[in-house]
């Protein structure tokens, strides 16, 4: 007998059903389900609808007095009732996204060992490389996994090395994947690669539950990564692997090794780059300028900052520049000042963006031989200023005014997060540029009121990119995620942004995240098909995307005992 799509069959009974968050409906189990599944007497007698449950849970949410407590309530709800969790999130996505994701997830990560009460994925230790395959076996996922988000926790948000607690960033990302793009939550997996920690506060904490030895690097780390990738693809051959919050060097090394060979991407490098490209393209629509003519300063040229530069330079090449001409549109500045071909210790991924020392030999330097951000702004007269430095207040009034003196509509993107680390706050940027700046930020900010105009500050949030990108890649069964797929995602986000009114945001509203993610997925699938890297045979892309999107709705649940000739759900 065939099982209808809206029916779940399970071998579980009684409290086992209530303990499974993918089956549990709580008070929404019907009287027939309660009798069939052995739930009589285990629940209050009244049957509630999903709507009523969502309203009640939202009341409980509003009673929580801090964002961290709200984060804890939502995590507990997810571990109890997955459908109700995503229904609540869907109803209040703009309000709750900063709670389950940045910035509040950073607080949750920092307190992970003290608030731990339930495992949340796979914990793979570099001290037990042989245990990787055993962990995947113990996972017991007979229906498969479409998506893995994995971190080694070296560079979590703006708070650095967080050891085993970094698994919360993977859990938060996966929640956004489902809430925004409808990726089936039963087919995703968060993983932390515990390779030690250099965070001495964690090492000294008697309750820290991760490895307390120094972070492992070099060949042993590389071999561990290889073993993980091999095991993940052995168990789930078509899985999409999303890398999150790795350190600069390892992030680039892994991406260079696997990026064009398997279905994988690094969100901090490529996702951040794509959403920032979307904001820049919106700015181009406002100014009427061409991307290839821009002069761009990147303050904080780490993996994320130069991931942005990579995406923008790729787009410049599409506009007709050579690769070298595109690189020549950038100036990169870190703690060593402007990077040149004589700067010591430059990483390989930074080398395309260094300037020739001969070019700047006459520029003023400080007593340490550093060419400062201010001096670069004076000399270059940038049209776009990007901050990924984690240095709060680095875009000073003097620097911003200097930039605005030479550019009619300066695009200023202080992208560091959490909020306390932003290079400048939008209110100041508007005041210092007399309302001319085009702004997007890494953290959420309220609208800025300036001279009678309300300016909406767009958040350059990777959530506009990675959910739709992931859904599109999965539906297309893409061989890899190509530059064309990233460009398609960025342009799709830009097209979803209405910049027709004064003060309009450079990026869509978070309220439109579900709609944006669906459109991004469609464009990503189209790009994969166009490039010949889609293995799925898709006749109608929009229909394929819609059919793949999981919705937070209760299905009827029946005991396996009333069916014959079927495989059980659990």
């Amino acid at each position: 007998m065939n099982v209808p799509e809206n029916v779940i069959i399970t071998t579980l009974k009684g409290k086992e059903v209530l303990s499974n968050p993918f089956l549990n409906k709580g008070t929404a189990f019907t009287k027939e389900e309660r009798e069939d599944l052995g739930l009589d007497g285990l629940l209050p007698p009244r049957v509630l609808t999903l709507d009523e449950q969502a309203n009640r849970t939202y009341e409980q949410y509003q009673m929580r007095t801090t964002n961290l407590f709200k984060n804890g309530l939502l995590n507990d709800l997810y571990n109890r009732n997955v459908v109700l969790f995503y229904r609540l999130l869907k109803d209040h996505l703009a309000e709750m996204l900063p709670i389950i994701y940045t910035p509040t997830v950073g607080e949750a990560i920092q307190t992970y060992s003290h608030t731990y009460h339930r495992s949340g994925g796979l914990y793979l230790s570099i001290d037990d490389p042989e245990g990787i395959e055993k962990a995947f076996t113990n996972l017991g996922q007979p229906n498969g996994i479409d998506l893995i988000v994995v971190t080694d926790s070296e560079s979590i948000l703006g708070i650095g090395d967080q050891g085993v607690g970094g698994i919360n960033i993977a859990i938060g990302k996966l929640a956004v994947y489902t809430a925004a793009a409808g990726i089936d939550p039963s087919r995703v997996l968060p993983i932390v690669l515990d390779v030690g920690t250099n965070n001495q506060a964690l090492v000294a904490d008697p309750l820290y539950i991760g490895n307390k030895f120094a972070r492992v690097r070099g060949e042993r780390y590389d071999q561990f990564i290889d073993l993980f990738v091999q095991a993940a693809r052995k168990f789930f051959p078509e899985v999409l692997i999303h890398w999150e919050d790795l350190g600069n060097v390892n992030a680039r090394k892994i991406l260079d090794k696997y990026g064009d060979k398997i279905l994988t991407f690094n969100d901090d490098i490529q996702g951040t780059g794509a959403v920032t490209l979307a904001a820049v393209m919106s700015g181009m629509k406002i100014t009427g300028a061409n991307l290839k003519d821009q002069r761009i300063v990147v303050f904080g040229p780490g993996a994320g900052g130069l991931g942005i530069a990579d995406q923008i330079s790729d787009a410049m090449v599409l506009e007709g520049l050579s690769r070298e001409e595109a690189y020549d549109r950038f100036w990169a500045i870190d703690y060593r000042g402007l990077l040149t071909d004589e700067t010591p210790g430059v990483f390989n991924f930074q080398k395309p963006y260094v300037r020739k020392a001969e070019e700047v030999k006459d520029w003023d330097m400080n007593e340490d031989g550093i060419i400062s951000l201010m001096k670069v702004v004076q000399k270059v007269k940038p049209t776009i200023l990007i901050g990924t430095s984690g240095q709060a207040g680095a875009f000073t009034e003097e620097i911003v005014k200097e930039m605005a003196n030479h550019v009619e509509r300066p695009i200023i993107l202080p992208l560091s997060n959490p909020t306390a680390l932003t290079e400048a706050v939008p209110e100041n940027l508007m005041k210092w540029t007399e309302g001319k700046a085009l702004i997007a930020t890494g953290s959420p900010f309220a609208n800025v009121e300036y001279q009678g105009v309300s300016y909406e500050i767009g958040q350059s949030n990777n959530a506009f990119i990675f959910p739709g990108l992931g859904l599109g890649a999965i539906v297309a069964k893409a061989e890899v995620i190509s530059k064309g797929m990233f460009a398609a995602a960025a342009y799709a986000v830009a097209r979803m942004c209405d910049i027709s009114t004064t003060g309009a945001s450079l990026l869509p509203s978070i309220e439109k995240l579900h709609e944006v993610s669906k459109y991004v997925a469609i464009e990503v699938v189209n790009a994969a098909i166009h490039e010949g890297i889609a293995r799925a045979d898709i006749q109608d892309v929009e229909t394929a995307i819609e059919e793949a999107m999981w919705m937070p709705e209760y299905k009827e649940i029946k005991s396996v005992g009333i069916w014959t000739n079927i495989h059980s759900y659990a």
Side-chain angles (χ1 to χ4, degrees):
M1 182 179 293
N2 293 325
V3 181
E5 288 187 3
N6 63 343
V7 174
I8 294 174
I9 307 303
T10 181
T11 60
L12 302 182
K13 288 278 191 174
K15 286 188 175 181
E16 290 180 321
V17 174
L18 300 179
S19 298
N20 186 319
F22 289 95
L23 294 177
N24 183 28
K25 300 181 185 180
T27 53
F29 280 109
T30 65
K31 294 186 183 301
E32 293 76 16
E33 287 174 324
R34 296 180 189 206
E35 181 176 355
D36 178 38
L37 299 170
L39 300 177
D40 286 331
L42 302 183
L43 295 166
R46 187 175 167 218
V47 176
L48 296 184
T49 66
L50 180 56
D51 286 348
E52 290 169 329
Q53 287 182 312
N55 291 338
R56 179 182 61 193
T57 308
Y58 186 56
E59 286 184 6
Q60 297 168 356
Y61 173 87
Q62 290 179 304
M63 291 171 63
R64 296 295 177 111
T65 55
T66 70
N67 287 344
L68 189 58
F69 284 165
K70 290 177 179 179
N71 175 275
L73 179 143
L74 293 175
N75 283 335
D76 288 343
L77 177 61
Y78 177 85
N79 288 321
R80 190 171 69 250
N81 185 330
V82 168
V83 170
L84 180 55
F85 169 83
Y86 281 111
R87 170 56 191 274
L88 186 68
L89 200 54
K90 181 173 177 285
D91 289 347
H92 307 280
L93 186 56
E95 177 183 358
M96 293 183 177
L97 190 65
I99 305 300
I100 63 163
Y101 185 43
T102 59
T104 308
V105 71
E107 295 181 67
I109 289 168
Q110 289 174 298
T111 61
Y112 184 77
S113 289
H114 289 258
T115 58
Y116 176 87
H117 59 279
R118 181 168 179 153
S119 60
L122 287 188
Y123 303 78
L124 304 180
S125 172
I126 198 167
D127 259 6
D128 185 23
E130 295 79 12
I132 294 177
E133 288 206 12
K134 185 184 297 183
F136 276 101
T137 300
N138 292 341
L139 181 66
Q141 192 74 19
N143 297 325
I145 292 290
D146 295 323
L147 171 64
I148 290 172
V149 175
V150 58
T151 183
D152 73 357
S153 310
E154 183 174 1
S155 185
I156 299 290
L157 302 173
I159 55 178
D161 186 340
Q162 295 298 318
V164 74
I167 196 167
N168 263 359
I169 195 70
I171 292 169
K173 285 280 185 177
L174 289 171
V176 179
Y177 267 111
T178 299
I183 291 181
D184 188 339
S186 71
R187 298 180 60 85
V188 303
L189 178 62
I191 296 179
V192 63
L193 305 175
D194 191 347
V195 298
T197 180
N198 293 337
N199 185 332
Q200 293 307 305
L202 295 180
V203 174
D205 185 350
L207 293 181
Y208 177 61
I209 55 179
N211 290 321
K212 288 194 172 187
F213 48 75
R215 185 170 284 275
V216 174
R217 303 191 187 281
E219 184 177 356
R220 186 179 167 206
Y221 176 94
D222 296 341
Q223 291 173 348
F224 184 58
I225 295 295
D226 291 343
L227 287 173
F228 157 69
V229 172
Q230 292 163 15
R233 288 174 53 77
K234 173 183 176 180
F235 281 82
F236 312 113
E238 296 182 343
V239 70
L240 167 59
I241 300 177
H242 165 146
W243 301 91
E244 185 70 27
D245 286 352
L246 309 180
N248 284 343
V249 175
N250 287 328
R252 281 284 178 168
K253 186 189 301 182
I254 291 169
L255 189 58
D256 289 344
K257 182 170 186 176
Y258 289 110
D260 60 354
K261 296 178 178 64
I262 66 174
L263 190 62
T264 192
F265 75 103
N266 184 297
D267 189 47
D268 305 295
I269 297 174
Q270 296 163 297
T272 300
V275 73
T276 307
L277 173 59
V280 169
M281 295 311 300
S282 291
M284 295 298 96
K285 288 193 289 184
I286 293 172
T287 63
N290 294 317
L291 181 63
K292 63 184 179 65
D293 297 326
Q294 303 307 299
R295 300 179 300 279
I296 303 171
V297 169
V298 179
F299 185 66
L306 291 189
I308 294 169
D310 287 345
Q311 293 286 337
I312 297 175
S313 63
D314 286 344
M316 288 177 167
V317 170
L318 291 175
E319 287 196 2
L321 294 186
S322 69
R323 181 61 60 182
E324 287 305 313
E325 287 172 333
Y327 288 149
D328 194 49
R329 301 296 192 268
F330 292 85
W331 288 259
I333 305 167
D334 66 8
Y335 64 94
R336 297 163 292 186
L338 178 68
L339 299 186
T340 74
D341 53 12
E342 293 183 356
T343 302
V346 171
F347 295 123
N348 285 335
F349 70 85
Q350 295 173 322
K351 288 180 180 178
Y353 295 98
V354 302
R355 310 298 299 192
K356 295 186 185 306
E358 179 68 20
E359 170 193 340
V360 299
K361 65 180 181 180
D362 296 328
W363 292 19
D364 292 339
M365 301 181 185
N366 66 15
E367 60 274 13
D368 297 319
I370 288 173
I371 298 176
S372 68
L373 174 60
M374 181 62 182
K375 181 53 61 178
V376 172
V377 170
Q378 288 173 337
K379 289 288 189 178
V380 171
K381 300 177 177 55
T383 57
I384 301 173
L385 178 60
I386 298 171
T388 49
S389 67
Q391 294 186 27
F395 295 171
T396 64
E397 180 175 0
E398 183 183 16
I399 289 170
V400 171
K401 284 186 173 180
E402 176 65 23
M403 181 182 181
N405 282 339
H406 304 284
V407 183
E408 179 62 27
R409 298 302 304 272
I411 297 175
I412 305 178
L413 310 174
L415 301 179
S416 291
N417 59 42
T419 308
L421 300 181
T422 189
E423 287 81 6
V425 297
E427 183 177 3
N428 286 339
L429 293 176
M430 280 296 171
K431 181 172 62 176
W432 296 338
T433 63
E434 298 179 347
K436 296 178 181 178
L438 299 171
I439 303 167
T441 57
S443 295
F445 281 90
N447 290 4
V448 174
E449 306 297 326
Y450 182 78
Q451 294 187 349
V453 177
S454 180
Y455 293 87
E456 185 179 355
I457 306 302
Q459 185 185 358
S460 188
N461 192 328
N462 295 21
F464 287 120
I465 295 290
F466 70 79
L469 177 72
L471 178 62
I474 291 167
V475 169
K477 296 187 182 298
E479 297 172 6
V480 297
I481 299 184
S482 67
K483 291 180 180 179
M485 292 163 70
F486 277 110
Y491 284 107
V493 172
R495 282 194 291 270
M496 292 293 288
C497 184
D498 180 6
I499 48 98
S500 60
T501 60
T502 303
S505 169
L506 294 182
L507 289 162
S509 166
I510 287 293
E511 281 86 355
K512 296 176 66 176
L513 182 56
H514 187 75
E515 181 184 351
V516 170
S517 297
K518 177 182 173 182
Y519 182 51
V520 167
I522 290 170
E523 293 302 295
V524 165
V525 172
N526 284 328
I529 293 172
H530 176 73
E531 295 183 29
I533 55 175
R535 290 173 292 190
D537 182 15
I538 300 173
Q539 303 302 316
D540 184 326
V541 172
E542 184 170 355
T543 298
I545 291 296
E546 289 175 348
E547 290 178 348
M549 297 178 79
W550 178 89
M551 298 299 291
E553 299 167 348
Y554 286 139
K555 293 185 177 181
E556 184 179 1
I557 302 178
K558 290 183 177 292
S559 169
V560 72
I562 68 170
W563 297 81
T564 58
N565 300 321
I566 62 169
H567 297 288
S568 62
Y569 173 83

